[in-house]
Amino acid sequence: MATLETPLCALLGIRYPILQAGMGGVAFGPLAAAVSEAGGLGTIAAISPTPQRVDEEIRLARSRTDKPLCVDIGFPARAPQDLAALRLDALPAPVQQLHREIEALGVNVQPVDDQAMGIEDAKAKLEICFRHRIEVVACALGTPKWAVDACHAHGVKVIGIVGSARHAQSAIRNGADVVVVQGTEGGGHTGEVGLVTLLAEVLEFATVPVVAAGGIVQGAQIAGLLTQGAQGVWVGTRFINTLESSVGPNYKQAIADAGYDATIRSLLFDGLYVRQIRNRFTEVWEGHAADMLPYPQQRMAMSPARFAAAAADLKDHQALPAGQGASLVRDVLPAGAVLQRLVEETVAALAAARNRVAFA
Ligand SMILES: Cc1cc2nc3c(=O)[nH]c(=O)nc-3n(C[C@H](O)[C@H](O)[C@H](O)COP(=O)(O)O)c2cc1C
């Protein structure tokens, strides 16, 4: 078995410095357990699911592995206070168009009780993590000091996920044990700065281990990032195309089919910048950017179509968050095999660099 270790491994109690990213709709108990059991850190996405579902997913993961697990919770500064159902017939024209097209495919679009993401919801999920003695909590959309302090009081390590150097500074100031810096290449919510630059910026001041994210699907990339100074990687899109991920076959096929320019970064998903694969879900907004609502109203407006299309695994009408690395993912494998391959590729790339690059 290959050896690949950084100080991050001892800090988090894992064998390999490869962390499977929190991914809403994708990463639940089965995926997290498979990655942790294989020696990485598996993460359960807990932003949108109800606290009860989070509890069930943790129980499931715990029944499959006794290795450390991470739970990803959202702490947005502007959490919606009142999630009263929107009137579906009063939504922007592109949303209504999407509804018509989805219903024409025989799928019912209904109002959604989207849990995300009030502070009470986040607190309830933290309590569940503490009850299950979860080892690591990842903070998405903000790393508030009160949440870090609560985790530390329960012996839980905290990862702050950021998309800019400024946000990395505040996550470290608020006490995060690790920062994940996600470059603009990444899937889901994503910033403007490319990973190689963002990582260099954050390494200049970071006093905690820095983990790289965004577009990572091959070991050679990991070798480069470890050489640059990252202590690990946080990998999303590559783990969508695994047997244990919770999305349907059409989502996985869209990733396997993705070409070089398949993804776009847009506000259409929820009013914050999200990278996703271009399809009908995104195309209905072309030429209608002025109709987009601010966050969180855009999130509420898009949720009924998003949840209905995802539940039916619609090929062209579901939201397909994915990073630019989707163009390099062509297969669907067990998550443990993905992790093992990434480790072996990284080791091989580090060794190859030693042979290829002359230095003294
Ligand atoms: C389908 C999908 C859903 C995501 N959902 C979340 C989420 O719920 N919470 C979160 O912190 N990040 C989320 N992200 C971002 C990931 O945690 C991670 O930073 C990103 O996937 C890394 O880029 P990559 O996909 O290119 O590997 C999501 C990403 C994807 C692709």
Side-chain angles (χ1 to χ4, degrees):
M1 266 204 188
T3 298
L4 183 69
E5 214 177 306
T6 69
L8 179 75
C9 296
L11 183 73
L12 301 181
I14 54 179
R15 177 168 188 163
Y16 303 119
I18 299 179
L19 287 48
Q20 165 251 312
M23 290 182 284
V26 178
F28 297 111
L31 179 58
V35 172
S36 287
E37 187 58 20
L41 183 69
T43 301
I44 294 170
I47 296 183
S48 287
T50 60
Q52 187 194 337
R53 170 100 193 268
V54 172
D55 184 73
E56 289 165 7
E57 296 298 334
I58 294 174
R59 280 177 202 278
L60 189 147
R62 283 288 196 226
S63 74
R64 295 187 184 182
T65 183
D66 56 6
K67 306 247 172 29
L69 288 167
C70 176
V71 174
D72 179 73
I73 301 177
F75 299 93
R78 289 175 293 141
Q81 296 299 309
D82 177 13
L83 302 185
L86 300 179
R87 280 186 41 216
L88 296 187
D89 59 355
L91 294 171
V95 184
Q96 295 198 39
Q97 173 70 19
L98 201 53
H99 288 189
R100 278 195 295 276
E101 292 185 20
I102 291 173
E103 299 221 315
L105 294 167
V107 176
N108 212 355
V109 180
Q110 289 176 321
V112 169
D113 178 19
D114 184 0
Q115 277 290 312
M117 20 198 163
I119 290 302
E120 291 313 313
D121 183 63
K123 282 184 178 161
K125 290 169 182 172
L126 276 178
E127 284 305 322
I128 291 167
C129 291
F130 300 154
R131 211 177 316 133
H132 287 286
R133 300 187 186 288
I134 284 295
E135 291 80 0
V136 187
V137 163
C139 299
L141 305 169
T143 308
K145 187 168 183 319
W146 66 263
V148 177
D149 290 345
C151 286
H152 286 170
H154 287 84
V156 178
K157 294 280 187 278
V158 178
I159 296 175
I161 307 167
V162 302
S164 74
R166 193 166 53 81
H167 288 156
Q169 280 170 329
S170 70
I172 293 170
R173 198 169 47 239
N174 288 347
D177 301 289
V178 174
V179 281
V180 168
V181 299
Q182 183 185 311
T184 191
E185 301 94 322
H189 289 115
T190 198
E192 280 187 283
V193 184
L195 176 57
V196 168
T197 303
L198 179 60
L199 178 60
E201 287 175 349
V202 175
L203 285 169
E204 273 200 337
F205 59 77
T207 50
V208 300
V210 181
V211 169
I216 302 167
V217 296
Q218 295 178 344
Q221 297 169 297
I222 300 174
L225 293 161
L226 294 179
T227 306
Q228 195 185 337
Q231 287 211 20
V233 290
W234 170 263
V235 177
T237 298
R238 176 56 266 195
F239 283 107
I240 299 175
N241 274 27
T242 56
L243 299 183
E244 296 87 348
S245 91
S246 292
V247 296
N250 280 331
Y251 199 142
K252 295 176 188 176
Q253 193 60 47
I255 289 182
D257 291 343
Y260 295 137
D261 53 0
T263 69
I264 59 164
R265 179 177 170 273
S266 164
L267 295 167
L268 69 89
F269 184 91
D270 64 358
L272 305 173
Y273 280 104
V274 164
R275 184 175 298 286
Q276 61 197 306
I277 293 177
R278 188 186 293 109
N279 62 358
R280 274 309 287 165
F281 187 86
T282 66
E283 277 167 10
V284 292
W285 286 97
E286 284 176 12
H288 295 280
D291 293 341
M292 287 181 200
L293 304 169
Y295 174 88
Q297 286 85 353
Q298 180 75 7
R299 178 184 173 95
M300 300 310 298
M302 291 295 276
S303 287
R306 183 155 67 85
F307 283 79
D313 189 31
L314 294 183
K315 188 168 179 299
D316 297 318
H317 292 80
Q318 71 174 305
L320 300 168
Q324 290 178 331
S327 62
L328 298 163
V329 177
R330 290 164 194 129
D331 49 14
V332 176
L333 294 170
V338 168
L339 185 90
Q340 200 56 44
R341 189 165 78 184
L342 289 175
V343 169
E344 285 163 12
E345 287 175 353
T346 305
V347 169
L350 288 167
R354 203 166 41 214
N355 294 332
R356 196 175 55 244
V357 184
F359 57 93

